[in-house]
Amino acid sequence: MRVDFAARTDDLPCGLGSGPIDPAMIGAAIGTQSDQMRSGVDIPPLPEIAGGRYTSETMQALEDAWLWRRTWLCAGRESMIPKGGDYFVFRKAGASILVVRGKDGKIRAFHNACRHRGASVVREDCGHAGLLRCQFHSWAYNLEGHLVGVPEENGFPGLDRSERGLLPVRCETFEGWIFLNQNPEAEPLEDFLGEAGRQLTHAAMGDLRVVERRSYRAEANWKVTLDAFLESYHLNTIHPQTAAIMNDAQNSAIHLFERGHAWLASLRRQYLSQDMGEAGQPDISAMHESFRKYAITYNLYPNLVSPIDPVGFPILLMWPVSRTSCEIEIYFLGPDWGEGERPSFYESYFAFFDQLIEEDLSNLASMQKSLDSGFFPGALLNWTERKIYWQHQSMDEQIGRDRIPQEFQVKPVLMADGGMEG
Ligand code: FES
Ligand SMILES: [Fe+2]
């Protein structure tokens, strides 16, 4: 059977288009897509996702070479390096990238490999330096990455300092976030984020403060873990006392953007803070009303998930650690409370969130074991789980379908939703 997927997704009201965010359109999208799910009419079946995608070393090698090193990755907040000379080292997905703020206030990034023999230029995870001096033989670089000091330089006849500066990494910012891309030819971050990025500016993230950073370990492939955060089909079963009391998964809509980004919007049952009965909860006053009315979770390809909420919200990043384990790195953002102690609201907020994450993690290690048993041919996705399909389809597109063994390939059947024009 041939299914016209483009027609399926194109003609649905997408909710947030290129103009101002329109809650009425999100409501219409939720109405249309939920009715479609209830009736079951014209819902196309999605092809299976091969189990081997989560277990094969070939896939892992392809991701290392063609995915992580060739896409924009969220590496941290600008506020982590507020002053000229402040730096941190981004060590995820096999990278070691030095991110440093110059005296001119500009943030730059370099491979953290000395151009003498490749030692780490800085060893600490973060710090402050006027000069970046390699620990091994003391070659020194300024904050712009230029080589400015070489001991016993006469022993390097013909050395041209200007050719042995630190190797730069593309570094651009968005709403207070620092993004890196190891592909020098990459398109600008703004183009990569596209419409999803423009919509996210209405969440007013740029003004928010990092309330807390946490890291969880999942004993499962990073894609097994990410998939669990791309669908709301599991809400009523895994999260009856947490996410399900806030979001109505049966009244929801999905929007697929170019380059693998997407959102999932649901009717809100309650605000997070109302569940906890806390007075004086924070409020992001500049946040657009669409995010108050609807629970909208964005995912930015390849590994970022963020459920936007006016009391504050987490940004989750899934990083591969090994073939069978990953890190869930989380930044919690909230409105700045100025001087003084953090509002007590956050204690109950984090307890609630911990429970929610534990619930999500509860299946993952055993899932990985099942997948690794080799007897699991492939995953069958519900239409409401199509963000997972979109993620995998987009990965194949980026890696290059021809490079992927045929048995692991994802058929390109989904298309990005149209904009609002017309
Ligand atoms: S490796 Fe850095 S100075 Fe020798
Ligand atoms: Fe969940």
Side-chain angles (χ1 to χ4, degrees):
M1 179 173 86
R2 185 185 175 281
V3 178
D4 189 351
F5 283 84
R8 268 277 48 73
T9 53
D10 252 1
D11 57 1
L12 297 174
C14 64
L16 299 176
S18 50
I21 295 178
D22 180 359
M25 292 302 289
I26 304 171
I30 290 175
T32 308
Q33 294 191 29
S34 303
D35 283 349
Q36 186 195 9
M37 283 302 297
R38 277 188 277 274
S39 71
V41 174
D42 287 341
I43 292 180
L46 289 167
E48 277 190 356
I49 304 263
R53 289 179 68 85
Y54 303 93
T55 60
S56 131
E57 282 170 12
T58 306
M59 280 307 293
Q60 193 190 4
L62 286 169
E63 290 165 12
D64 287 345
W66 297 99
L67 192 155
W68 299 108
R69 292 183 197 175
R70 302 185 67 82
T71 194
W72 285 102
L73 300 173
C74 181
R77 288 290 282 178
E78 290 182 64
S79 59
M80 289 157 56
I81 44 173
K83 296 191 294 294
D86 289 349
Y87 68 83
F88 70 88
V89 182
F90 171 76
R91 300 185 211 274
K92 308 286 184 195
S96 176
I97 297 172
L98 173 57
V99 183
V100 59
R101 192 183 287 274
K103 295 208 170 83
D104 55 359
K106 191 170 155 49
I107 298 174
R108 298 177 178 84
F110 307 99
H111 290 286
N112 185 24
C114 176
R115 295 296 306 284
H116 173 218
R117 280 173 49 206
S120 293
V121 178
V122 301
R123 293 180 187 164
E124 301 75 21
D125 289 336
C126 60
H128 179 90
L131 211 53
L132 305 164
R133 195 181 293 281
C134 178
Q135 313 288 317
F136 204 170
H137 315 88
S138 241
W139 279 33
Y141 305 85
N142 68 14
L143 302 179
E144 282 90 58
H146 300 134
L147 179 62
V148 294
V150 178
E152 300 174 45
E153 193 166 358
N154 290 340
F156 297 102
L159 167 67
D160 181 349
R161 286 187 181 190
S162 70
E163 285 184 353
R164 294 204 82 85
L166 294 177
L167 295 172
V169 173
R170 291 280 301 281
C171 174
E172 291 175 25
T173 57
F174 167 75
E175 294 289 295
W177 294 103
I178 299 168
F179 278 77
L180 304 176
N181 194 324
Q182 294 166 73
N183 175 11
E185 308 298 324
E187 63 185 330
L189 176 63
E190 190 181 352
D191 295 351
F192 170 73
L193 295 175
E195 189 58 29
R198 283 189 283 282
Q199 293 181 3
L200 271 173
T201 60
H202 295 280
M205 272 190 285
D207 300 328
L208 301 181
R209 174 167 174 171
V210 177
V211 177
E212 173 118 343
R213 285 177 68 182
R214 289 190 179 192
S215 175
Y216 298 81
R217 174 67 76 100
E219 298 305 325
N221 183 274
W222 73 277
K223 303 184 292 297
V224 170
T225 309
L226 177 64
D227 287 358
F229 290 83
L230 297 182
E231 48 92 358
S232 58
Y233 187 42
H234 72 276
L235 240 60
N236 292 336
T237 42
I238 297 296
H239 305 297
Q241 298 306 319
T242 51
I245 58 177
M246 301 187 299
N247 302 337
D248 181 354
Q250 273 65 50
N251 282 291
S252 60
I254 284 172
H255 188 88
L256 307 178
F257 297 94
E258 301 287 346
R259 298 172 180 76
H261 314 308
W263 57 242
L264 189 152
S266 310
L267 293 188
R268 278 190 190 281
R269 288 191 163 128
Q270 291 178 47
Y271 278 125
L272 190 56
S273 53
Q274 288 168 340
D275 296 323
M276 292 180 265
E278 284 275 332
Q281 71 268 17
D283 181 70
I284 302 169
S285 55
M287 185 173 277
H288 193 276
E289 60 172 310
S290 293
F291 298 116
R292 297 178 186 278
K293 190 153 188 206
Y294 300 106
I296 310 177
T297 297
Y298 279 79
N299 61 288
L300 297 182
Y301 179 85
N303 67 336
L304 184 153
V305 177
S306 185
I308 309 292
D309 193 293
V311 302
F313 53 92
I315 279 79
L316 297 87
L317 294 157
M318 317 307 173
W319 300 111
V321 173
S322 71
R323 188 183 61 78
T324 57
S325 67
C326 72
E327 177 190 357
I328 306 175
E329 182 187 30
I330 306 182
Y331 290 80
F332 291 91
L333 297 184
D336 195 356
W337 57 85
E339 299 295 316
E341 284 194 11
R342 190 165 79 182
S344 60
F345 161 82
Y346 286 110
E347 304 318 312
S348 48
Y349 176 87
F350 291 128
F352 180 89
F353 195 84
D354 261 340
Q355 187 188 336
L356 200 149
I357 285 281
E358 289 305 323
E359 291 165 357
D360 278 317
L361 294 180
S362 62
N363 277 313
L364 303 183
S366 60
M367 258 177 98
Q368 186 65 45
K369 286 209 166 69
S370 307
L371 291 162
D372 271 328
S373 75
F375 293 106
F376 185 80
L380 181 65
L381 298 175
N382 186 283
W383 184 237
T384 61
E385 295 177 295
R386 66 188 178 280
K387 282 210 303 180
I388 295 174
Y389 202 93
W390 189 234
Q391 166 77 20
H392 286 258
Q393 182 180 315
S394 304
M395 286 175 57
D396 282 16
E397 208 160 294
Q398 189 196 349
I399 291 168
R401 232 157 240 115
D402 296 349
R403 295 190 177 94
I404 301 173
Q406 204 167 2
E407 65 268 32
F408 300 145
Q409 287 176 18
V410 166
K411 287 196 186 77
V413 297
L414 289 178
M415 285 180 67
D417 292 297
M420 300 218 355
E421 58 277 4

